[in-house]
Structure formats: C-alpha cells, structure tokens
Amino acid sequence: MLTPLLTNKELFTLLQLIKEARRIVVCAHRSPDGDALGASIGWTCYLRGLRKTTNIVMPNAFPDFLRSMPGAGMAVLFDKQNELSSHLIHEADLIFCLDFNALSRLEGMGEDIARAKAKKVIIDHHLDPDSSFTSLTISHPECSSTCEIIFRLIEQLGGFDAISHDAAAAIYTGMMTDTGGFTYNSNNPEIYTIISLLLTKGIDKDQLYRNVFNNYTESRIRLMGYVLFEKLRFLADGRASLFTLTRSDLDRFHYIRGDAEGFVNLPLQVRGNKLSISLREDTETDLIRVSLRSVGNFPCNKMATEFFNGGGHANASGGRLPWPMESAIATVEKAVEAYLPLLKTSTT
Ligand code: 5GP
Ligand code: MN
C-alpha cells in the first residue's frame, strides 16, 4: 500500500545491524521537537518489541507541551542525567540518530556519540546528511517528518501489527507537528494512508491536536500578544519580518522552554510576507537562536547557511549567532538586503 522506502540491500543492512545489537540507544537533536520525540518513542517501542534493550537519550529537555506524549517519560536527558547518559551511550553497540543530519546538532552530546564504539545509523529527513560517522544512512528529505519515515520503516519491516496505541500516538504527533497540523509539506497522498492506518490503532487525533496546540499557559499567549504588538517589524516593503526576544522579555512573561514555539510562523499570516525571522536570546548559553520560516520557493535554508551558522529545510530553518542582540539584528538586516532580489521574485 505504501511505497517502500528502503532498497532490499538497505533493509538487509538495517536488519543485520539490529540483529547484532544487544544494547541500543536512540537519540535526536538538541531541543527535541514533536517529530524528534515522537520518532524516538515510536522507534524505541518497535526495537523493544524485538526484545532489544533500548533507551532514548536526548541532549536536553523537550518543551512542556510535549510531556503529555505517551512514552515521553522514557527519555534520559544528557544535560541533567549526564553520568547515566554517557554510560548508556558508551555501553551501546548500536546508536540511532533520529531527525538530525550532523552531530553538531547535538551540541555537547555529539562528542560522546562520536567517541562511542557503537555503530551508528542516521534516520532523518534533513538535506545533506553527514554519512562519515554512520554504518547506514536512511535519509529521505522528501518525507514530511522523521515520524513518517519511522512508520514506513516499521511497516516495511513487517511490524505494523505490533505498533501499540502509544507508539501510534507518538508517531502521529510528530507527523502533525512537523507539518503544522498538515498545513505544509503535506501533499503526499500516502501521508493520509499512514494517518488512516494509525487511526486503526485507536488514537484520538483531535485530542492529540489539542494536547499540542491548545495546551498553553496564560503567559505564553500574553507573550505572543506582546511580540505581535510591540516587537514585530517588517522589512523589505513587507516581504520579510523580524522580531526579537531578549532574556528580559522572556523573564517578564515567565518564559519556560517551548513557550515561544511556533511564534515565528505567525508573521507569515500577513499577505505579501514571504520570510519570517526571529532572534531569541538563549536562556542557557550565550547564543542567539535564529529561526527562519518562508512560504513558496524562497529557500530560507540557504540564507541560514550563509548568514546564521545553520541550515534546515527550504521553508523552515534555524541557526545561531553570538551575542549581542544589536549585531544579530544587523546580520538579519544584511541578509535581507542580500536576498532582496530573490524576495522580490520568489513566488508564494
Ligand atoms: P527551529 O526554528 O524550529 O529552531 O528550527 C527549524 C529547523 O531548522 C529545524 O527543524 C532544523 O531543520 C533547522 N535548524 C535549526 N537550528 C539549526 C542549526 O543550528 N543548524 C542547522 N543545520 N539546522 C538548524
Ligand atoms: Mn523533523
């Protein structure tokens, strides 16, 4: 029913790697989002079903609104439970790297993974995976989410019947969050075949939507109002926009991790805006987190690579800049200036 993702050779390699492994670690990128967490839970449930000792190790915590995801509690956090995380990573003989394409996306944890004796497998949908450290790279940028890839892998491996309700809920949640509730990157008809298969597991997709998108604190919605009213600026005659969030802005609204999630999409609701950029002072490091979103064929990943030490997808990218905020703002202004011709000609 679904187009197979893996060639027979890849399928054989993957099965062989799993068969030979006794202890497995599944990890995903820093600041795990719904896709990173959902894919890790779904894949871990599958591997545990094969009676493999499998643990999830994440570089740091995921946002509060993902706590309701069944299975979220099984994630060990490298920054908080450092000794246990290192132990699991160094004892493992197979490590799955989910939803990222290079170890730099793990920040500090990347060094431990690089040093670990385990064989490594990337399963991801970002462009240009770094295959230099892996035994197998399963890279499918045409897929909407890593969760979609995980579902297709499990199905191709003959594991559909064994997918539990909770694993189905986790996989669905990641597919939903990486497509903004199936409003972008979601035109492949097979996505809806997958959804209907997941629904046969008894998941309540409407509840899963509310758990993620209608589950915020009062502070978050007030912070959103403040950003839109006071902080949002339009550039390039309304073709681009920028807002910043400083630590003092965040403190004022009792910011907790994940509270600004999705804000960067909002300015794209304005007609004619093709590129939305946000700059947020990190609460843990001296970095400014850059998020970029675009519509149509404006490639914000190119801009992220060229100006913001980052990368990502054509319509959703990120990166980082050093402090202070003033110079980060100047970098954004320079980037918008450099891409002005493309902003004028790109189509939505
Ligand atoms: P967000 O704006 O949600 O932090 O990131 C959006 C997307 O941009 C992520 O899914 C990821 O693909 C990409 N991204 C974010 N930060 C970085 C980064 O520092 N480096 C690279 N290469 N990609 C990033
Ligand atoms: Mn993803």
Side-chain angles (χ1 to χ4, degrees):
M1 202 166 355
L2 296 171
T3 310
L5 215 49
L6 299 185
T7 61
N8 283 342
K9 186 163 175 278
E10 288 172 322
L11 199 61
F12 179 79
T13 308
L14 178 61
L15 279 169
Q16 198 63 24
L17 286 166
I18 295 173
K19 197 171 140 206
E20 285 167 5
R22 280 186 304 132
R23 280 184 284 262
I24 303 179
V25 160
V26 173
C27 65
H29 59 78
R30 188 191 181 279
S31 303
D33 54 13
D35 188 32
L37 187 62
S40 300
I41 294 169
W43 192 233
T44 297
C45 290
Y46 172 73
L47 295 168
R48 287 185 179 176
L50 300 177
R51 305 196 181 288
K52 297 287 172 180
T53 304
T54 309
N55 284 285
I56 301 177
V57 182
M58 294 291 189
N60 63 347
F62 42 85
D64 255 32
F65 64 82
L66 292 175
R67 239 184 239 173
S68 64
M69 199 190 283
M74 55 179 156
V76 176
L77 307 179
F78 184 82
D79 64 344
K80 300 253 160 50
Q81 298 154 279
N82 192 260
E83 228 170 275
L84 173 60
S85 303
S86 284
H87 175 77
L88 292 170
I89 290 169
H90 292 288
E91 287 299 303
D93 31 38
L94 183 58
I95 298 177
F96 283 101
C97 300
L98 267 48
D99 201 35
F100 65 92
N101 53 4
L103 291 177
S104 59
R105 298 277 286 126
L106 303 180
E107 280 172 18
M109 193 172 113
E111 291 154 29
D112 273 62
I113 302 274
R115 271 191 278 114
K117 65 177 193 304
K119 292 186 172 164
K120 288 122 198 160
V121 176
I122 284 182
I123 304 178
D124 182 39
H125 69 135
H126 296 90
L127 293 168
D128 306 325
D130 173 7
S131 299
S132 66
F133 69 97
T134 63
S135 302
L136 175 66
T137 299
I138 300 174
S139 168
H140 287 275
E142 80 283 6
C143 286
S144 64
S145 56
T146 303
C147 279
E148 178 188 333
I149 302 178
I150 290 296
F151 182 89
R152 289 171 176 278
L153 290 185
I154 296 174
E155 202 256 352
Q156 203 180 345
L157 291 161
F160 174 74
D161 288 344
I163 295 179
S164 66
H165 170 275
D166 286 1
I171 290 171
Y172 180 82
T173 303
M175 290 177 64
M176 176 185 76
T177 54
D178 253 29
T179 56
F182 306 102
T183 61
Y184 46 78
N185 284 340
S186 50
N187 284 329
N188 179 354
E190 291 194 2
I191 290 174
Y192 303 91
T193 308
I194 296 173
I195 294 173
S196 60
L197 289 167
L198 289 171
L199 286 167
T200 67
K201 300 287 178 180
I203 60 166
D204 180 343
K205 74 172 194 53
D206 305 342
Q207 172 86 52
L208 293 173
Y209 181 93
R210 289 194 298 277
N211 286 350
V212 170
F213 294 114
N214 294 354
N215 198 16
Y216 294 120
T217 57
E218 178 183 339
S219 322
R220 152 147 167 137
I221 207 152
R222 295 207 185 278
L223 175 61
M224 188 190 285
Y226 167 72
V227 164
L228 297 179
F229 189 58
E230 303 241 351
K231 309 274 332 243
L232 180 62
R233 280 172 60 196
F234 286 90
L235 309 166
D237 287 329
R239 294 182 181 92
S241 64
L242 167 67
F243 66 82
T244 63
L245 283 169
T246 62
R247 280 189 186 173
S248 79
D249 292 332
L250 300 175
D251 286 345
R252 186 173 157 197
F253 290 90
H254 321 290
Y255 174 86
I256 53 165
R257 195 193 303 277
D259 268 359
E261 195 82 27
F263 284 9
V264 68
N265 295 306
L266 297 171
L268 292 176
Q269 292 177 8
V270 177
R271 189 187 304 134
N273 191 10
K274 297 173 178 174
L275 171 67
S276 168
I277 302 178
S278 72
L279 299 173
R280 177 173 57 80
E281 289 179 354
D282 198 76
T283 49
E284 286 153 25
T285 61
D286 278 351
L287 285 172
I288 294 177
R289 302 272 165 199
V290 187
S291 285
L292 300 99
R293 298 292 185 272
S294 66
V295 286
N297 61 0
F298 185 85
C300 62
N301 49 353
K302 272 181 72 179
M303 184 186 258
T305 309
E306 203 175 322
F307 285 91
F308 305 120
N309 309 303
H313 312 279
N315 292 125
S317 317
R320 52 201 135 163
L321 289 171
W323 286 36
M325 187 58 97
E326 287 65 38
S327 57
I329 294 172
T331 305
V332 170
E333 287 166 346
K334 220 165 67 190
V336 169
E337 184 68 35
Y339 277 77
L340 197 55
L342 201 51
L343 278 169
K344 284 185 175 159
T345 54
S346 69
T347 52
T348 56

